[in-house]
Amino acid sequence: MTRPSDPEIQEPPQLKFLRRLVTTLTAVMIGGLVVVISLLVIRLSDKGVTLPDSITLPDGTTPTAVTFGNGWIAVVSDRNQILILDADSGDLRQTITIE
């Protein structure tokens, strides 16, 4: 028995467009996922801020906020003062009184 040859089925133009669109969107999503993962790896591998082993504040000073800069640490105290400390040694560099 011989099989009759199957006539080639033509797909509609909308189906071709849809297939190309899905393929393009898949490639874009894979590329975006690679970018997000690489940015996370780069960001999370950053060492961050280096801190001294200990910081000595003046007697009676209670810190209320701390911020870190390039080579310095700022401590806001409950006495309305900002204490600027050296990031490497922890020594007091400057005191700013808030009025």
Side-chain angles (χ1 to χ4, degrees):
M1 253 171 125
T2 60
R3 291 178 76 173
S5 63
D6 292 334
E8 210 172 292
I9 300 174
Q10 292 283 333
E11 56 185 25
Q14 294 90 357
L15 189 58
K16 285 183 183 179
F17 173 72
L18 184 61
R19 180 177 293 132
R20 289 181 184 150
L21 184 65
V22 168
T23 304
T24 304
L25 289 175
T26 302
V28 168
M29 286 179 61
I30 289 171
L33 187 63
V34 167
V35 168
V36 167
I37 289 172
S38 35
L39 286 175
L40 281 172
V41 167
I42 290 170
R43 182 69 174 161
L44 294 177
S45 66
D46 187 20
K47 291 186 180 182
V49 179
T50 57
L51 300 174
D53 293 334
S54 65
I55 296 175
T56 304
L57 297 175
D59 290 335
T61 303
T62 304
T64 57
V66 178
T67 189
F68 305 98
N70 191 10
W72 55 270
I73 301 170
V75 177
V76 180
S77 71
D78 59 345
R79 296 180 180 180
N80 290 332
Q81 292 180 333
I82 301 173
L83 307 170
I84 308 294
L85 307 168
D86 186 62
D88 297 325
S89 64
D91 295 335
L92 183 65
R93 279 192 195 173
Q94 183 179 4
T95 302
I96 301 169
T97 303
I98 304 169
E99 296 181 20

